[in-house]
Amino acid sequence: MGRVHFGVSAFFVFCLLGLSANAKVFNIGSPPGSDITNALLKAFNEACQFPTKSTVLIPKGEYKLGEIVMMGPCKAPIRIALQGTVKADGNANGKEKWVAFRNIDGFKLNGGGVFDGEGNAAWRVNNCHKTFNCKKLPISIRFDFVTNAKIRGITSLDAKNFHINVIGAKNMTFEDVKIIAPAESPNTDGIHVGRSDGIKIINSFISTGDDCVSVGDGMKNLLVERVTCGPGHGISIGSLGRYSHEENVSGIKIINCTLQETDNGLRIKTWPSAACTTTASDIHFENILLKNVSNPILIDQEYCPWNQCNKQKPSTIKLANISFKKIRGTSGNKDAVKLLCSKGHPCQNVEVGDINIKYTGADGPATFQCSNVSPKLVGTQIPKACSSPVTKPPK
Ligand SMILES: *[C@@H]1O[C@H](CO)[C@@H](O)[C@H](O)[C@H]1NC(C)=O
Ligand SMILES: *[C@@H]1O[C@H](CO)[C@@H](O)[C@H](O)[C@H]1NC(C)=O
Ligand SMILES: *[C@@H]1O[C@H](CO)[C@@H](O)[C@H](O)[C@H]1NC(C)=O
Ligand SMILES: *[C@@H]1O[C@H](CO)[C@@H](O)[C@H](O)[C@H]1NC(C)=O
Ligand SMILES: *[C@@H]1O[C@H](CO)[C@@H](O)[C@H](O)[C@H]1NC(C)=O
């Protein structure tokens, strides 16, 4: 580990690297090309035990990185400046995660660097999009119980499974984050959040094979703003109701986002015969631009992939206080809007305002279907609200 001491030159180095001058710097001190798993863990642990603010520096260059857990609690706020690229191994082994940050309060991750999950070989053995009990592949970056955190200006490339998974967070911001994997890479959700309070995802670009942002149970107060998604499966709340110990979802705002060439747009999905009775409420989508998005607006309370559920029993997940406003652009299929709510628990207080979705395919025009919901309508409705007969939701 190299220590940077104060001096005139060190001061200039700090300025050049954009490091704050009052933080102690722990440089991993490994040459490019090497495996930095042990060096990073050592630097992190030293920084974590340091009594005042510190920075762990991974300088420019490409490094190999094995599975790693960076675990707090730490004695003071800690920052990881990833300026280089860290690469996972390319095999398809069944680990649960690659990089994890755990129990850290006052955390920053920035520096413009790249986490390269090397997912190519793993995608070929992945069968999770076809079956319920499938081979588990590692999530690229996990944040478990990280609080008061800011993740800025980093890239996640070619994750084997989800790119980023967040659980147990409080007050966490993602800004200027890039997430990239091929459209055909399975299960590569961009950012999955759940069981957290206060997450912002701002000004970011997510182009991947599965959901752009997915929201699990127990998520409260999520803001997704100025995010561009696509390709991928769009922004999804749920699926909810698959497990028995789920918690409510509330306070979700998706604003000023663009979806391009995604398979779904704005989606809320719950299982029929749900294993729990929870509520998802206060969910608002506003000012969204659609570019050739299939199924742009979809509430699906009969979400049942692989047909592994009893569709006879309506979903027991309650949906309330939901709005879709200023949603405009083009649909990739005729199913522009589907609000398919539970027969057992019709959706309460759904507002649909200023919708203008065009579809130009030969089987058009675009449709707007409703069941077990009477939306409050405001402003433009193209297509005409609730005017089409209900068909089955897409898979
Ligand atoms: C949220 O976290 C940021 C650090 O990213 C911190 O500056 C801010 O004070 C925190 N806000 C609250 C309300 O604790
Ligand atoms: C979205 O962006 C526009 C400018 O592009 C801004 O005027 C508006 O306030 C933003 N909307 C929200 C809900 O923040
Ligand atoms: C879930 O939300 C419903 C409706 O707001 C509320 O009645 C219920 O108490 C909430 N459950 C929990 C565990 O917070
Ligand atoms: C829209 O997306 C579909 C795939 O969903 C593609 O086949 C089609 O060419 C796209 N249309 C345009 C106009 O880009
Ligand atoms: C929905 O909003 C109404 C009015 O603001 C509020 O009284 C009600 O508690 C909300 N329902 C849920 C489930 O949050």
Side-chain angles (χ1 to χ4, degrees):
M1 182 212 55
R3 280 165 200 263
V4 181
H5 293 285
F6 272 104
V8 173
S9 59
F11 178 76
F12 282 116
V13 170
F14 279 132
C15 294
L16 283 172
L17 298 177
L19 303 174
S20 84
N22 59 357
K24 171 85 171 173
V25 177
F26 295 85
N27 191 326
I28 55 144
S30 308
S34 61
D35 183 324
I36 61 165
T37 315
N38 292 331
L40 177 56
L41 196 57
K42 182 164 178 284
F44 177 83
N45 286 335
E46 282 174 351
C48 188
Q49 290 312 309
F50 197 71
T52 57
K53 268 205 277 190
S54 61
T55 293
V56 174
L57 174 63
I58 304 164
K60 285 212 161 72
E62 214 173 86
Y63 308 91
K64 298 189 186 87
L65 180 64
E67 187 181 357
I68 186 168
V69 179
M70 286 171 259
M71 176 119 86
C74 296
K75 291 193 168 150
I78 190 164
R79 175 162 80 115
I80 298 197
L82 173 66
Q83 297 175 340
T85 293
V86 290
K87 277 177 166 295
D89 68 49
N91 36 18
N93 50 14
K95 290 195 183 129
E96 171 234 347
K97 62 178 179 306
W98 175 33
V99 178
F101 300 97
R102 198 166 284 165
N103 299 336
I104 307 175
D105 179 45
F107 179 67
K108 287 193 167 72
L109 169 62
N110 52 31
V114 179
F115 291 89
D116 183 349
E118 289 277 341
N120 197 29
W123 301 328
R124 279 180 269 122
V125 303
N126 183 306
N127 56 352
C128 290
H129 50 310
K130 295 186 196 125
T131 165
F132 208 80
N133 297 308
C134 58
K135 186 175 165 67
K136 281 276 173 282
L137 291 162
I139 290 171
S140 263
I141 312 168
R142 289 194 65 109
F143 297 95
D144 301 335
F145 306 93
V146 170
T147 54
N148 299 311
K150 184 146 187 184
I151 314 305
R152 188 166 177 276
I154 56 136
T155 298
S156 172
L157 200 62
D158 292 347
K160 295 186 174 84
N161 193 323
F162 290 10
H163 289 264
I164 292 175
N165 189 83
V166 184
I167 191 161
K170 283 200 173 73
N171 181 26
M172 183 171 200
T173 300
F174 291 86
E175 195 169 355
D176 302 326
V177 166
K178 270 205 199 90
I179 292 180
I180 296 165
E184 60 282 1
S185 58
N187 300 101
T188 53
D189 289 38
I191 304 182
H192 178 81
V193 297
R195 304 265 172 125
S196 295
D197 191 347
I199 296 182
K200 294 179 182 163
I201 303 172
I202 302 171
N203 203 41
S204 292
F205 178 79
I206 302 177
S207 168
T208 192
D210 208 305
D211 292 341
C212 171
V213 172
S214 59
V215 180
D217 80 283
M219 184 66 224
K220 294 186 172 56
N221 303 313
L222 169 69
L223 172 67
V224 178
E225 188 177 356
R226 282 179 286 127
V227 171
T228 298
C229 296
H233 296 176
I235 295 175
S236 178
I237 318 299
S239 59
L240 302 173
R242 179 166 164 191
Y243 302 106
S244 57
H245 296 291
E246 294 189 7
E247 296 169 11
N248 285 346
V249 169
S250 68
I252 311 295
K253 279 204 175 80
I254 315 289
I255 54 181
N256 279 2
C257 292
T258 298
L259 301 172
Q260 47 197 27
E261 307 287 331
T262 54
D263 277 359
N264 291 285
L266 311 169
R267 190 159 56 141
I268 302 174
K269 54 190 186 191
T270 79
W271 291 68
S273 313
C276 55
T277 306
T278 58
T279 301
S281 60
D282 194 10
I283 301 173
H284 306 284
F285 302 92
E286 185 166 350
N287 209 12
I288 310 287
L289 180 61
L290 309 164
K291 297 180 180 169
N292 195 25
V293 168
S294 300
N295 313 304
I297 296 179
L298 177 62
I299 293 179
D300 177 8
Q301 293 213 261
E302 287 191 12
Y303 180 72
C304 183
W306 323 286
N307 280 316
Q308 295 220 354
C309 51
N310 177 359
K311 280 201 169 192
Q312 303 319 115
K313 290 198 195 134
S315 183
T316 48
I317 309 299
K318 295 176 188 145
L319 302 182
N321 298 354
I322 295 168
S323 68
F324 297 93
K325 292 182 191 163
K326 298 192 198 143
I327 319 283
R328 66 203 185 279
T330 54
S331 182
N333 63 0
K334 64 185 294 193
D335 298 320
V337 185
K338 284 192 178 202
L339 308 177
L340 308 183
C341 295
S342 167
K343 208 179 341 171
H345 299 274
C347 295
Q348 299 295 314
N349 191 19
V350 175
E351 182 173 333
V352 176
D354 292 310
I355 304 295
N356 191 343
I357 304 175
K358 301 218 162 69
Y359 172 63
T360 53
D363 59 336
T367 63
F368 189 141
Q369 306 174 23
C370 301
S371 66
N372 305 304
V373 59
S374 316
K376 177 183 171 201
L377 305 175
V378 179
T380 311
Q381 316 289 332
I382 301 171
K384 190 168 183 292
C386 307
S387 60
S388 307
V390 172
T391 59
K392 277 161 75 85
K395 67 167 164 43

